Amino acid sequence: MALNISRPRTKSRTQDDGIARRLLDSSAQLSYDPLTEVDWETPLDTEFHGASPEWSTLYGTAYWNEMTEAQRKALTRQEAASVASTGIWFEMILQQMVLRDIYAKDPTSDTFQWALTEIADECRHSIMFARGAKKLQAPAYRPHRTAVELGRLFKTVAFGEAAYAAILVAEEVLDVMQRDWMRDERVVPFVRTINNIHVVEESRHMKFARDETRRHLARAGRTRRQIQSLLIAVAAYVIVTSMVNRKVYANAGLDEERALREAKANEHHKSMMRSSCSGLMEFLTSVGLLTKPALFFYQRANLI
């Protein structure tokens, strides 16, 4: 007769592992290898957009109305590449935060193994985004030096709910826009495939981030919530304002200074960003992370 020598599990660990086990099962059933799923061989067709035009930072402006269709397509391709590059930057921060969170924890638990699965997903996504940006004929767009250093600080000091809620902020914004892009036949096919892969796999990451945020907040007092909510909001502001590099305009053959002015005043794009974050803001409100100081940064980033 076999002996059951497994260690007893606490109710909390059993519940957390239950969620992680479902995510592991989902990952086993529905995951992609971008190296084989994405068409990397077909040359870029410049008759396509890189993203849905309505998501362009200049859509609806006077400058957009003056641009030729070829210029609009060139701009959306550069903007899509910039968003991908920003995604790589934040995914590197994400991986370090998750690794730090599970450091020295029980490697036999499903939660630990799911965290490593998520990191493996993010590694594949980063390579996919890098190859996609290169195929879009874009340079290596990087966030401003200040954003890079703030990111370096954030990944070092953020813990618990701040780490997981910040992950959720970045992924929620990308999720809504990429759902539009992957369905849009005006978007170049290989970008649509990239977006589909990211949307499917990130849906599991967002589920985990929501659950981890709630779990960590269960033992957080008022002062900690106030501090963490502000840290998350600042991170959200830096992430969102870094998505589209100012150099995309010059690289698309536009007047960079004029494009910047019109993009900053573009009410259509601000409305698109706010609509993409409605679900996120509801979640932050429900867990007590949408405080007045935090609200200031979300408003500055046009997320609310």
Side-chain angles (χ1 to χ4, degrees):
M1 182 177 68
L3 294 176
N4 182 0
I5 58 174
S6 60
R7 287 173 294 173
R9 294 188 170 200
T10 65
K11 181 178 180 181
S12 177
R13 176 178 164 181
T14 301
Q15 182 178 5
D16 293 342
D17 267 10
I19 295 167
R21 172 44 52 191
R22 290 194 292 274
L23 294 173
L24 282 167
D25 291 342
S26 174
S27 179
Q29 294 168 16
L30 187 58
S31 290
Y32 299 94
D33 181 357
L35 295 180
T36 57
E37 295 287 343
V38 180
D39 178 7
W40 301 114
E41 302 304 320
T42 303
L44 175 66
D45 188 342
T46 57
E47 290 302 308
F48 285 93
H49 284 276
S52 296
E54 292 79 8
W55 277 99
S56 173
T57 55
L58 288 181
Y59 184 87
T61 65
Y63 205 172
W64 179 269
N65 294 334
E66 295 173 18
M67 292 161 59
T68 66
E69 193 62 21
Q71 286 177 315
R72 293 171 180 171
K73 291 172 180 175
L75 175 61
T76 60
R77 290 196 298 271
Q78 293 298 315
E79 288 177 320
S82 180
V83 169
S85 295
T86 302
I88 295 169
W89 167 64
F90 190 73
E91 284 180 345
M92 293 179 72
I93 294 173
L94 179 159
Q95 291 172 57
Q96 293 177 72
M97 291 192 298
V98 173
L99 274 174
R100 193 176 71 244
D101 188 54
I102 65 170
Y103 178 71
K105 291 185 178 178
D106 181 358
T108 67
S109 72
D110 289 332
T111 298
F112 184 97
Q113 292 168 32
W114 163 253
L116 290 182
T117 301
E118 178 169 341
I119 291 167
D121 288 346
E122 297 298 3
C123 286
R124 292 198 310 276
H125 294 169
S126 293
I127 295 170
M128 177 176 71
F129 286 157
R131 293 188 68 171
K134 184 176 181 180
K135 187 167 180 176
L136 286 168
Q137 300 176 355
Y141 290 115
R142 295 184 178 88
H144 190 274
R145 180 61 182 271
T146 302
V148 170
E149 295 307 320
L150 286 173
R152 196 187 307 279
L153 175 65
F154 182 77
K155 69 181 178 61
T156 303
V157 303
F159 68 92
E161 63 275 11
Y164 286 101
I167 290 170
L168 189 60
V169 167
E171 299 299 357
E172 286 269 9
V173 175
L174 277 176
D175 182 70
V176 174
M177 64 174 67
Q178 288 185 328
R179 285 178 186 274
D180 284 350
W181 301 359
M182 74 184 196
R183 301 186 187 106
D184 194 338
E185 294 184 356
R186 297 170 296 176
V187 175
V188 65
F190 83 90
V191 169
R192 295 178 64 193
T193 304
I194 288 173
N195 291 329
N196 182 67
I197 291 172
H198 197 248
V199 163
V200 169
E201 297 187 346
E202 288 297 335
S203 66
R204 295 189 285 264
H205 300 183
M206 290 189 290
K207 167 65 174 172
F208 187 62
R210 288 191 191 95
D211 289 333
E212 286 297 295
T213 300
R214 292 190 188 98
R215 185 173 69 84
H216 283 284
L217 281 171
R219 56 179 181 269
R222 183 177 182 278
T223 299
R224 174 170 155 179
R225 284 175 185 265
Q226 289 287 326
I227 294 171
Q228 296 288 64
S229 65
L230 184 58
L231 185 59
I232 295 162
V234 172
Y237 174 82
V238 174
I239 293 164
V240 170
T241 57
S242 298
M243 279 189 171
V244 178
N245 190 292
R246 61 179 292 158
K247 296 301 179 185
V248 301
Y249 306 114
N251 290 334
L254 304 178
D255 180 329
E256 182 177 320
E257 293 303 322
R258 181 187 174 188
L260 273 173
R261 288 195 303 272
E262 297 207 21
K264 288 180 179 178
N266 188 355
E267 292 301 326
H268 170 80
H269 190 256
K270 293 175 184 178
S271 175
M272 294 288 281
M273 293 300 293
R274 285 193 295 270
S275 66
S276 74
C277 290
S278 58
L280 171 64
M281 294 303 151
E282 288 177 9
F283 172 78
L284 293 176
T285 300
S286 71
V287 295
L289 290 176
L290 197 60
T291 60
K292 286 185 178 180
L295 195 61
F296 170 80
F297 287 96
Y298 291 123
Q299 291 173 332
R300 285 287 302 272
N302 300 305
L303 300 183
I304 196 168

